[in-house]
Coordinates of all heavy atoms in Angstrom, one line a residue:
V146 N 22.3 -57.7 -31.5 CA 23.4 -58.4 -30.9 C 24.6 -57.6 -31.0 O 25.0 -57.1 -32.1 CB 23.6 -59.8 -31.5 CG1 24.7 -60.5 -30.8 CG2 22.3 -60.6 -31.5
K147 N 25.4 -57.4 -29.9 CA 26.6 -56.7 -29.9 C 27.7 -57.5 -30.6 O 27.7 -58.7 -30.6 CB 27.1 -56.4 -28.5 CG 26.3 -55.3 -27.8 CD 26.9 -55.1 -26.4 CE 26.1 -54.0 -25.6 NZ 26.6 -54.0 -24.2
V148 N 28.7 -56.8 -31.1 CA 29.9 -57.4 -31.7 C 30.5 -58.4 -30.8 O 30.9 -59.5 -31.1 CB 30.9 -56.4 -32.3 CG1 32.1 -57.1 -32.7 CG2 30.3 -55.6 -33.4
E149 N 30.7 -57.9 -29.5 CA 31.4 -58.8 -28.5 C 30.6 -60.1 -28.3 O 31.2 -61.2 -28.1 CB 31.5 -58.0 -27.2 CG 32.5 -56.9 -27.2 CD 31.9 -55.7 -27.8 OE1 30.7 -55.6 -28.2 OE2 32.7 -54.7 -28.0
E150 N 29.3 -60.0 -28.3 CA 28.5 -61.2 -28.1 C 28.6 -62.2 -29.3 O 28.6 -63.4 -29.2 CB 27.0 -60.8 -27.9 CG 26.8 -60.2 -26.6 CD 25.4 -59.5 -26.5 OE1 24.6 -59.7 -27.4 OE2 25.1 -58.9 -25.4
K151 N 28.7 -61.6 -30.5 CA 28.9 -62.4 -31.7 C 30.3 -63.1 -31.6 O 30.5 -64.3 -31.9 CB 28.8 -61.6 -33.0 CG 27.4 -61.3 -33.4 CD 27.4 -60.8 -34.8 CE 25.9 -60.6 -35.3 NZ 25.8 -60.0 -36.6
L152 N 31.3 -62.3 -31.2 CA 32.7 -62.9 -31.2 C 32.7 -64.0 -30.2 O 33.5 -65.0 -30.3 CB 33.7 -61.8 -30.8 CG 34.0 -60.7 -31.8 CD1 34.9 -59.6 -31.3 CD2 34.7 -61.4 -33.0
Y153 N 31.9 -63.9 -29.1 CA 31.9 -64.9 -28.1 C 31.5 -66.3 -28.6 O 31.8 -67.3 -28.0 CB 31.1 -64.5 -26.9 CG 31.2 -65.4 -25.7 CD1 32.3 -65.4 -25.0 CD2 30.1 -66.2 -25.3 CE1 32.4 -66.3 -23.9 CE2 30.2 -67.0 -24.2 CZ 31.3 -67.0 -23.5 OH 31.4 -67.9 -22.4
Q154 N 30.8 -66.3 -29.7 CA 30.3 -67.5 -30.3 C 31.4 -68.3 -31.0 O 31.3 -69.5 -31.3 CB 29.2 -67.3 -31.4 CG 28.0 -66.4 -30.9 CD 27.2 -67.1 -29.9 OE1 27.0 -68.3 -30.0 NE2 26.7 -66.4 -28.9
N155 N 32.5 -67.6 -31.3 CA 33.6 -68.3 -32.0 C 34.4 -69.2 -31.1 O 34.4 -69.0 -29.9 CB 34.5 -67.2 -32.7 CG 33.8 -66.4 -33.7 OD1 33.0 -66.9 -34.4 ND2 34.2 -65.1 -33.7
R156 N 35.1 -70.1 -31.7 CA 35.9 -71.1 -30.9 C 37.3 -71.1 -31.4 O 37.5 -71.0 -32.6 CB 35.3 -72.5 -31.0 CG 33.9 -72.7 -30.3 CD 34.0 -72.5 -28.8 NE 32.7 -72.5 -28.2 CZ 32.1 -71.4 -27.8 NH1 32.7 -70.2 -28.0 NH2 31.0 -71.4 -27.2
Y157 N 38.2 -71.2 -30.5 CA 39.6 -71.2 -30.8 C 40.3 -72.4 -30.3 O 40.0 -72.9 -29.3 CB 40.3 -70.0 -30.2 CG 39.7 -68.7 -30.4 CD1 38.7 -68.2 -29.6 CD2 40.1 -67.9 -31.5 CE1 38.1 -67.0 -29.8 CE2 39.5 -66.6 -31.7 CZ 38.5 -66.2 -30.9 OH 37.9 -65.0 -31.1
I158 N 41.3 -72.9 -31.1 CA 42.2 -73.9 -30.6 C 43.6 -73.3 -30.7 O 44.1 -73.0 -31.8 CB 42.1 -75.2 -31.5 CG1 40.7 -75.8 -31.4 CG2 43.2 -76.2 -30.9 CD1 40.5 -77.0 -32.3
V159 N 44.1 -73.0 -29.5 CA 45.4 -72.2 -29.5 C 46.6 -73.2 -29.7 O 46.7 -74.2 -29.0 CB 45.5 -71.5 -28.1 CG1 46.8 -70.7 -28.0 CG2 44.3 -70.5 -28.0
D160 N 47.5 -72.8 -30.6 CA 48.7 -73.5 -30.8 C 49.7 -73.0 -29.8 O 50.5 -72.0 -30.2 CB 49.1 -73.4 -32.2 CG 50.2 -74.4 -32.7 OD1 50.7 -75.0 -31.8 OD2 50.5 -74.4 -33.9
E161 N 49.8 -73.5 -28.6 CA 50.6 -73.0 -27.6 C 52.1 -72.8 -28.0 O 52.7 -71.8 -27.7 CB 50.6 -73.9 -26.3 CG 49.2 -74.2 -25.8 CD 48.7 -73.1 -24.9 OE1 49.5 -72.1 -24.7 OE2 47.6 -73.2 -24.4
S162 N 52.6 -73.7 -28.7 CA 54.1 -73.7 -28.9 C 54.4 -72.9 -30.1 O 55.6 -72.5 -30.3 CB 54.6 -75.1 -29.2 OG 53.8 -75.7 -30.3
R163 N 53.4 -72.5 -31.0 CA 53.8 -71.8 -32.2 C 52.8 -70.7 -32.5 O 51.8 -70.9 -33.2 CB 53.8 -72.8 -33.4 CG 55.1 -73.4 -33.6 CD 55.3 -74.2 -34.8 NE 54.3 -74.0 -35.9 CZ 54.4 -74.7 -37.0 NH1 55.3 -75.6 -37.2 NH2 53.5 -74.6 -38.0
P164 N 53.0 -69.5 -31.9 CA 52.1 -68.4 -32.2 C 52.2 -68.0 -33.7 O 53.3 -68.0 -34.3 CB 52.6 -67.2 -31.4 CG 54.0 -67.6 -31.0 CD 54.0 -69.1 -30.9
H165 N 51.1 -67.8 -34.4 CA 51.1 -67.6 -35.8 C 51.5 -66.2 -36.2 O 51.7 -65.9 -37.4 CB 49.8 -68.1 -36.5 CG 48.6 -67.2 -36.1 ND1 48.1 -67.3 -34.9 CD2 47.9 -66.3 -36.8 CE1 47.1 -66.4 -34.8 NE2 47.0 -65.8 -36.0
I166 N 51.5 -65.3 -35.3 CA 52.0 -63.9 -35.5 C 53.0 -63.6 -34.5 O 52.9 -63.9 -33.3 CB 50.8 -62.9 -35.4 CG1 49.6 -63.3 -36.2 CG2 51.3 -61.5 -35.8 CD1 48.4 -62.5 -36.0
Q167 N 54.1 -62.9 -34.9 CA 55.1 -62.5 -34.0 C 55.6 -61.1 -34.4 O 55.6 -60.7 -35.5 CB 56.3 -63.5 -34.0 CG 56.0 -64.8 -33.4 CD 57.1 -65.8 -33.4 OE1 57.7 -66.1 -34.5 NE2 57.6 -66.2 -32.3
I168 N 56.0 -60.4 -33.3 CA 56.6 -59.1 -33.5 C 58.1 -59.4 -33.8 O 58.8 -60.0 -33.0 CB 56.4 -58.2 -32.3 CG1 55.0 -57.8 -32.1 CG2 57.3 -56.9 -32.3 CD1 54.6 -57.1 -30.8
R169 N 58.6 -58.9 -34.9 CA 60.0 -59.2 -35.2 C 61.0 -58.5 -34.3 O 61.9 -59.2 -33.9 CB 60.3 -58.7 -36.7 CG 59.5 -59.5 -37.8 CD 60.0 -59.0 -39.1 NE 59.0 -59.2 -40.2 CZ 58.9 -60.4 -40.8 NH1 59.7 -61.4 -40.6 NH2 58.0 -60.5 -41.8
N170 N 60.8 -57.2 -34.1 CA 61.8 -56.5 -33.3 C 61.1 -55.5 -32.3 O 60.4 -54.6 -32.8 CB 62.7 -55.7 -34.2 CG 63.8 -54.9 -33.5 OD1 63.7 -54.8 -32.3 ND2 64.7 -54.4 -34.3
A171 N 61.1 -55.8 -31.0 CA 60.4 -55.0 -30.0 C 60.8 -53.6 -30.0 O 60.0 -52.7 -29.7 CB 60.6 -55.6 -28.6
D172 N 62.1 -53.3 -30.4 CA 62.6 -51.9 -30.4 C 61.9 -51.1 -31.5 O 61.7 -49.9 -31.3 CB 64.1 -51.9 -30.6 CG 64.8 -52.4 -29.4 OD1 64.3 -52.4 -28.3 OD2 66.0 -52.9 -29.6
V173 N 61.5 -51.7 -32.6 CA 60.8 -51.0 -33.6 C 59.5 -50.5 -33.1 O 59.0 -49.4 -33.4 CB 60.6 -51.9 -34.9 CG1 59.7 -51.2 -35.9 CG2 62.0 -52.2 -35.5
C174 N 58.8 -51.3 -32.3 CA 57.5 -50.9 -31.7 C 57.7 -49.7 -30.8 O 56.8 -48.8 -30.8 CB 56.9 -52.0 -30.9 SG 56.5 -53.5 -31.9
K175 N 58.8 -49.7 -30.0 CA 59.0 -48.6 -29.1 C 59.2 -47.3 -29.8 O 58.8 -46.2 -29.3 CB 60.2 -48.9 -28.2 CG 60.0 -50.0 -27.2 CD 61.2 -50.2 -26.3 CE 61.0 -51.4 -25.4 NZ 62.2 -51.8 -24.7
S176 N 59.7 -47.3 -31.0 CA 60.0 -46.1 -31.7 C 58.9 -45.8 -32.7 O 59.0 -44.8 -33.5 CB 61.3 -46.1 -32.4 OG 61.3 -47.2 -33.4
C177 N 57.8 -46.6 -32.7 CA 56.7 -46.4 -33.6 C 55.7 -45.3 -33.1 O 55.3 -45.5 -31.9 CB 56.0 -47.7 -33.8 SG 54.5 -47.6 -34.9
D178 N 55.5 -44.3 -33.8 CA 54.7 -43.2 -33.3 C 53.2 -43.5 -33.2 O 52.6 -43.2 -32.2 CB 54.8 -41.9 -34.3 CG 56.1 -41.3 -34.2 OD1 56.8 -41.4 -33.1 OD2 56.6 -40.7 -35.2
S179 N 52.7 -44.3 -34.1 CA 51.2 -44.6 -34.1 C 50.9 -45.8 -33.3 O 49.8 -45.8 -32.7 CB 50.7 -44.7 -35.5 OG 51.2 -46.0 -36.1
Q180 N 51.7 -46.8 -33.3 CA 51.3 -48.1 -32.7 C 49.9 -48.5 -33.1 O 49.0 -48.8 -32.3 CB 51.5 -48.1 -31.2 CG 53.0 -47.9 -30.8 CD 53.3 -48.0 -29.4 OE1 52.5 -47.8 -28.5 NE2 54.6 -48.4 -29.0
A181 N 49.6 -48.4 -34.4 CA 48.3 -48.6 -34.9 C 47.7 -49.9 -34.6 O 46.5 -50.1 -34.5 CB 48.3 -48.4 -36.4
C182 N 48.6 -50.9 -34.5 CA 48.1 -52.3 -34.1 C 47.3 -52.3 -32.8 O 46.3 -53.1 -32.7 CB 49.2 -53.2 -34.1 SG 50.5 -52.8 -32.9
T183 N 47.7 -51.4 -31.9 CA 47.0 -51.4 -30.6 C 45.6 -50.8 -30.7 O 44.8 -51.0 -29.8 CB 47.8 -50.6 -29.5 OG1 47.8 -49.2 -29.9 CG2 49.2 -51.2 -29.4
V184 N 45.3 -50.2 -31.8 CA 44.0 -49.6 -32.0 C 43.1 -50.4 -33.0 O 41.9 -50.5 -32.9 CB 44.1 -48.1 -32.5 CG1 42.8 -47.5 -32.7 CG2 45.0 -47.3 -31.5
C185 N 43.8 -50.9 -34.0 CA 43.1 -51.5 -35.2 C 42.6 -52.9 -35.0 O 41.7 -53.4 -35.6 CB 44.0 -51.4 -36.4 SG 44.3 -49.7 -36.9
C186 N 43.3 -53.7 -34.2 CA 43.0 -55.1 -34.1 C 41.6 -55.3 -33.4 O 41.4 -54.8 -32.3 CB 44.0 -55.8 -33.2 SG 43.6 -57.5 -32.8
P187 N 40.7 -55.9 -34.2 CA 39.3 -56.1 -33.6 C 39.3 -57.0 -32.4 O 38.3 -57.0 -31.7 CB 38.6 -56.7 -34.8 CG 39.6 -57.3 -35.7 CD 40.9 -56.5 -35.5
A188 N 40.3 -57.8 -32.2 CA 40.3 -58.8 -31.1 C 41.2 -58.3 -29.9 O 41.4 -59.0 -29.0 CB 40.8 -60.1 -31.6
A189 N 41.7 -57.0 -30.1 CA 42.5 -56.4 -29.0 C 43.7 -57.3 -28.7 O 44.1 -57.5 -27.5 CB 41.7 -56.1 -27.8
C190 N 44.4 -57.9 -29.7 CA 45.5 -58.7 -29.4 C 46.8 -57.9 -29.0 O 47.7 -58.5 -28.4 CB 45.8 -59.6 -30.6 SG 44.6 -60.9 -31.0
Y191 N 46.8 -56.7 -29.5 CA 48.0 -55.8 -29.2 C 47.7 -54.8 -28.1 O 46.6 -54.2 -28.2 CB 48.4 -55.1 -30.5 CG 48.8 -56.0 -31.6 CD1 47.9 -56.5 -32.5 CD2 50.2 -56.2 -31.8 CE1 48.3 -57.3 -33.5 CE2 50.6 -57.0 -32.9 CZ 49.6 -57.6 -33.7 OH 50.0 -58.4 -34.8
S192 N 48.6 -54.6 -27.2 CA 48.4 -53.6 -26.2 C 49.7 -52.9 -25.9 O 50.8 -53.5 -26.0 CB 47.8 -54.2 -24.9 OG 48.7 -55.2 -24.4
R193 N 49.7 -51.6 -25.6 CA 50.9 -50.9 -25.3 C 51.3 -51.3 -23.9 O 50.5 -51.5 -23.0 CB 50.5 -49.4 -25.2 CG 51.7 -48.5 -25.1 CD 51.3 -47.0 -25.3 NE 52.3 -46.2 -24.7 CZ 53.4 -45.8 -25.4 NH1 53.6 -46.2 -26.6 NH2 54.3 -45.0 -24.8
N194 N 52.6 -51.6 -23.7 CA 53.0 -52.1 -22.4 C 53.8 -51.0 -21.7 O 54.0 -49.9 -22.1 CB 53.8 -53.4 -22.6 CG 55.1 -53.2 -23.4 OD1 55.7 -52.2 -23.4 ND2 55.4 -54.3 -24.2
E195 N 54.3 -51.4 -20.5 CA 54.9 -50.4 -19.6 C 56.2 -50.0 -20.0 O 56.7 -48.9 -19.6 CB 55.0 -51.0 -18.1 CG 55.8 -52.2 -17.9 CD 55.1 -53.5 -18.4 OE1 53.9 -53.5 -18.8 OE2 55.8 -54.5 -18.4
T196 N 56.9 -50.7 -21.0 CA 58.1 -50.2 -21.5 C 58.0 -49.3 -22.7 O 59.0 -48.8 -23.2 CB 59.0 -51.4 -22.0 OG1 58.4 -52.0 -23.1 CG2 59.1 -52.5 -20.9
G197 N 56.7 -49.0 -23.1 CA 56.5 -48.1 -24.2 C 56.4 -48.9 -25.5 O 56.2 -48.4 -26.6
G198 N 56.6 -50.2 -25.4 CA 56.5 -51.1 -26.5 C 55.1 -51.7 -26.7 O 54.2 -51.2 -26.1
V199 N 55.0 -52.8 -27.4 CA 53.7 -53.4 -27.7 C 53.8 -54.9 -27.3 O 54.8 -55.6 -27.6 CB 53.4 -53.3 -29.2 CG1 52.1 -54.1 -29.5 CG2 53.2 -51.9 -29.6
T200 N 52.8 -55.3 -26.6 CA 52.7 -56.8 -26.2 C 51.6 -57.4 -27.1 O 50.5 -56.8 -27.3 CB 52.2 -56.9 -24.7 OG1 53.3 -56.3 -23.9 CG2 52.1 -58.4 -24.3
L201 N 51.9 -58.6 -27.6 CA 51.0 -59.3 -28.5 C 50.6 -60.6 -27.9 O 51.5 -61.4 -27.5 CB 51.7 -59.5 -29.9 CG 51.1 -60.6 -30.8 CD1 49.7 -60.1 -31.3 CD2 52.0 -60.8 -32.0
V202 N 49.3 -60.8 -27.8 CA 48.8 -62.1 -27.4 C 47.9 -62.6 -28.5 O 46.8 -62.0 -28.7 CB 48.0 -62.0 -26.0 CG1 47.5 -63.4 -25.6 CG2 49.0 -61.5 -24.9
T203 N 48.2 -63.7 -29.2 CA 47.5 -64.0 -30.4 C 46.3 -65.0 -30.1 O 45.6 -65.3 -31.1 CB 48.4 -64.7 -31.4 OG1 49.0 -65.9 -30.7 CG2 49.6 -63.8 -31.8
D204 N 46.0 -65.3 -28.9 CA 45.0 -66.3 -28.6 C 43.6 -66.0 -29.2 O 43.0 -67.0 -29.7 CB 44.8 -66.4 -27.1 CG 46.0 -67.0 -26.4 OD1 47.0 -67.2 -27.1 OD2 46.0 -67.3 -25.2
G205 N 43.2 -64.8 -29.3 CA 41.8 -64.5 -29.8 C 41.8 -64.0 -31.2 O 40.8 -63.5 -31.7
C206 N 42.9 -64.2 -31.9 CA 43.1 -63.6 -33.3 C 42.0 -64.1 -34.2 O 41.7 -65.3 -34.3 CB 44.5 -64.0 -33.8 SG 44.7 -63.5 -35.5
L207 N 41.5 -63.2 -35.0 CA 40.4 -63.5 -35.9 C 40.9 -63.8 -37.3 O 40.2 -64.0 -38.3 CB 39.4 -62.3 -36.0 CG 38.8 -61.8 -34.7 CD1 38.1 -60.5 -34.8 CD2 37.9 -62.9 -34.1
E208 N 42.3 -63.7 -37.5 CA 42.9 -64.0 -38.8 C 42.4 -63.0 -39.9 O 42.3 -63.4 -41.0 CB 42.8 -65.4 -39.2 CG 43.4 -66.4 -38.1 CD 43.0 -67.8 -38.4 OE1 42.7 -68.2 -39.5 OE2 43.0 -68.6 -37.4
C209 N 42.2 -61.8 -39.5 CA 41.7 -60.8 -40.5 C 42.8 -60.1 -41.3 O 42.6 -59.6 -42.4 CB 40.9 -59.7 -39.7 SG 41.9 -58.6 -38.7
G210 N 44.0 -60.1 -40.7 CA 45.2 -59.5 -41.5 C 45.3 -58.0 -41.3 O 46.3 -57.5 -41.9
T211 N 44.5 -57.4 -40.5 CA 44.6 -55.9 -40.4 C 45.9 -55.5 -39.8 O 46.5 -54.5 -40.3 CB 43.5 -55.4 -39.4 OG1 42.2 -55.9 -39.9 CG2 43.5 -53.9 -39.3
C212 N 46.5 -56.2 -38.8 CA 47.7 -55.8 -38.2 C 48.9 -55.8 -39.2 O 49.7 -55.0 -39.2 CB 48.0 -56.7 -37.0 SG 48.0 -58.5 -37.3
R213 N 48.8 -56.8 -40.1 CA 49.9 -56.9 -41.1 C 49.8 -55.7 -42.0 O 50.9 -55.2 -42.4 CB 49.7 -58.2 -41.9 CG 50.8 -58.4 -42.9 CD 50.9 -59.8 -43.4 NE 49.7 -60.2 -44.1 CZ 49.7 -61.4 -44.8 NH1 50.8 -62.2 -44.8 NH2 48.7 -61.8 -45.4
V214 N 48.6 -55.3 -42.4 CA 48.5 -54.1 -43.3 C 48.9 -52.8 -42.6 O 49.6 -52.0 -43.2 CB 47.0 -54.0 -43.7 CG1 46.8 -52.7 -44.5 CG2 46.6 -55.2 -44.6
V215 N 48.5 -52.6 -41.3 CA 48.8 -51.3 -40.7 C 50.3 -51.2 -40.4 O 50.8 -50.1 -40.2 CB 48.0 -51.0 -39.4 CG1 46.5 -50.9 -39.8 CG2 48.2 -52.1 -38.3
C216 N 51.0 -52.4 -40.3 CA 52.4 -52.4 -40.0 C 53.2 -52.6 -41.3 O 54.4 -52.8 -41.2 CB 52.7 -53.4 -39.0 SG 54.4 -53.3 -38.3
Q217 N 52.6 -52.4 -42.4 CA 53.3 -52.8 -43.7 C 54.5 -51.9 -43.9 O 55.5 -52.4 -44.4 CB 52.3 -52.6 -44.8 CG 52.5 -53.5 -46.0 CD 51.3 -53.6 -46.9 OE1 50.5 -52.6 -47.0 NE2 51.1 -54.7 -47.5
D218 N 54.4 -50.6 -43.6 CA 55.6 -49.8 -43.9 C 56.8 -50.2 -43.1 O 57.9 -50.0 -43.5 CB 55.2 -48.3 -43.7 CG 54.7 -48.0 -42.3 OD1 54.2 -48.9 -41.7 OD2 54.9 -46.8 -41.9
K219 N 56.6 -50.6 -41.8 CA 57.7 -51.0 -41.0 C 58.0 -52.5 -41.2 O 59.1 -53.0 -40.9 CB 57.4 -50.8 -39.5 CG 57.2 -49.3 -39.2 CD 57.3 -49.0 -37.8 CE 57.5 -47.5 -37.5 NZ 56.3 -46.7 -38.1
G220 N 57.1 -53.3 -41.6 CA 57.3 -54.7 -41.8 C 57.7 -55.5 -40.5 O 58.5 -56.4 -40.6
N221 N 57.2 -55.0 -39.4 CA 57.7 -55.6 -38.1 C 56.8 -56.7 -37.6 O 57.0 -57.2 -36.5 CB 57.8 -54.4 -37.1 CG 58.6 -54.8 -35.9 OD1 59.6 -55.6 -36.1 ND2 58.3 -54.4 -34.7
I222 N 55.8 -57.1 -38.4 CA 55.0 -58.2 -38.0 C 55.2 -59.4 -38.9 O 55.0 -59.3 -40.1 CB 53.5 -57.8 -38.0 CG1 53.3 -56.8 -36.9 CG2 52.6 -59.0 -37.7 CD1 51.9 -56.2 -36.9
A223 N 55.6 -60.5 -38.3 CA 55.7 -61.8 -39.1 C 54.4 -62.5 -38.9 O 54.0 -62.9 -37.8 CB 56.9 -62.6 -38.5
W224 N 53.7 -62.6 -40.0 CA 52.3 -63.1 -40.0 C 52.1 -64.3 -40.9 O 52.5 -64.4 -42.0 CB 51.4 -62.0 -40.6 CG 49.9 -62.0 -40.2 CD1 49.3 -61.2 -39.3 CD2 48.9 -62.8 -40.8 NE1 48.0 -61.5 -39.2 CE2 47.7 -62.5 -40.1 CE3 48.9 -63.8 -41.7 CZ2 46.5 -63.1 -40.4 CZ3 47.7 -64.5 -42.0 CH2 46.5 -64.1 -41.4
D225 N 51.5 -65.3 -40.3 CA 51.2 -66.5 -41.0 C 49.8 -67.1 -40.5 O 49.4 -66.7 -39.4 CB 52.3 -67.6 -40.8 CG 52.3 -68.6 -42.0 OD1 51.4 -68.6 -42.8 OD2 53.2 -69.4 -42.0
Y226 N 49.2 -67.9 -41.3 CA 48.0 -68.6 -40.7 C 48.4 -69.6 -39.7 O 49.5 -70.2 -39.9 CB 47.1 -69.2 -41.8 CG 46.4 -68.2 -42.6 CD1 46.8 -67.8 -43.9 CD2 45.2 -67.6 -42.1 CE1 46.0 -66.9 -44.6 CE2 44.5 -66.7 -42.8 CZ 44.9 -66.3 -44.1 OH 44.2 -65.4 -44.8
P227 N 47.5 -70.0 -38.8 CA 47.9 -71.1 -37.9 C 48.0 -72.4 -38.6 O 47.5 -72.5 -39.7 CB 46.7 -71.1 -36.9 CG 46.0 -69.8 -37.0 CD 46.2 -69.3 -38.4
R228 N 48.7 -73.3 -38.0 CA 48.7 -74.6 -38.6 C 47.3 -75.2 -38.7 O 46.4 -74.8 -38.0 CB 49.6 -75.6 -37.7 CG 51.0 -75.3 -37.7 CD 51.8 -76.4 -37.0 NE 51.6 -76.4 -35.6 CZ 52.0 -77.3 -34.8 NH1 52.6 -78.4 -35.3 NH2 51.8 -77.2 -33.5
G229 N 47.2 -76.2 -39.6 CA 45.9 -76.9 -39.8 C 45.4 -77.4 -38.5 O 46.1 -78.0 -37.7
G230 N 44.1 -77.2 -38.2 CA 43.5 -77.7 -37.0 C 43.5 -76.7 -35.9 O 42.8 -76.8 -34.8
Y231 N 44.3 -75.6 -36.0 CA 44.4 -74.6 -35.0 C 43.8 -73.3 -35.4 O 43.5 -73.1 -36.6 CB 45.9 -74.3 -34.6 CG 46.6 -75.5 -33.9 CD1 47.3 -76.4 -34.7 CD2 46.4 -75.7 -32.6 CE1 47.9 -77.5 -34.1 CE2 47.0 -76.7 -31.9 CZ 47.8 -77.7 -32.7 OH 48.4 -78.7 -32.1
G232 N 43.6 -72.4 -34.5 CA 43.1 -71.1 -34.8 C 41.6 -71.0 -34.6 O 41.0 -71.7 -33.8
I233 N 41.0 -70.0 -35.3 CA 39.6 -69.7 -35.0 C 38.6 -70.6 -35.9 O 38.9 -71.0 -37.0 CB 39.3 -68.2 -35.3 CG1 38.0 -67.8 -34.8 CG2 39.5 -67.9 -36.8 CD1 37.8 -66.3 -34.7
S234 N 37.5 -70.9 -35.3 CA 36.4 -71.5 -36.0 C 35.2 -70.5 -35.9 O 34.7 -70.3 -34.8 CB 36.0 -72.8 -35.4 OG 37.0 -73.8 -35.5
Y235 N 34.8 -70.0 -37.0 CA 33.7 -69.0 -37.0 C 32.3 -69.7 -37.0 O 32.0 -70.6 -37.8 CB 33.7 -68.2 -38.3 CG 34.8 -67.1 -38.2 CD1 36.0 -67.3 -38.9 CD2 34.6 -65.9 -37.5 CE1 37.0 -66.3 -38.8 CE2 35.5 -65.0 -37.5 CZ 36.7 -65.2 -38.1 OH 37.7 -64.2 -38.0
K236 N 31.5 -69.3 -36.1 CA 30.1 -69.9 -36.0 C 29.3 -69.3 -37.1 O 28.4 -70.0 -37.7 CB 29.5 -69.6 -34.7 CG 28.1 -70.2 -34.5 CD 27.6 -70.2 -33.1 CE 26.3 -71.0 -33.1 NZ 25.7 -71.0 -31.7
F237 N 29.5 -68.0 -37.4 CA 28.6 -67.4 -38.5 C 29.4 -67.2 -39.8 O 29.0 -66.4 -40.6 CB 28.1 -66.1 -37.9 CG 27.3 -66.2 -36.7 CD1 27.7 -65.8 -35.5 CD2 26.0 -66.8 -36.8 CE1 26.9 -66.0 -34.3 CE2 25.2 -67.0 -35.7 CZ 25.7 -66.5 -34.4
G238 N 30.4 -68.0 -40.0 CA 31.0 -68.0 -41.3 C 32.0 -66.9 -41.6 O 32.2 -66.0 -41.0
Ligands
LIG125 FE1 44.1 -58.8 -34.6 FE2 43.4 -59.3 -37.1 FE3 46.0 -59.1 -36.6 FE4 44.5 -61.2 -35.7 S1 45.0 -60.7 -37.8 S2 46.0 -60.0 -34.5 S3 42.5 -60.2 -35.3 S4 44.5 -57.5 -36.5

């Protein structure tokens, strides 16, 4: 079974009004050489955009914490778990 097929088994309840991860300062992303978040996120929540910055869509977030770690030196990601009842439900634990 491919990873993508396993991920498809998971279910999400998106908290529309309150994304649990936010980019603090878009200008910091534009001047970031690696933009590691666009490569490291297993759910591809981060993508390089046309302005040279980074766009974040948290809907499929696996709550793994990788983005927070790779951005630790810049501290440009405000990361929290979703509110109770929201976020991912893992089928395989
Ligand atoms: Fe992606 Fe993990 Fe960060 Fe969620 S916590 S946005 S899955 S790297």
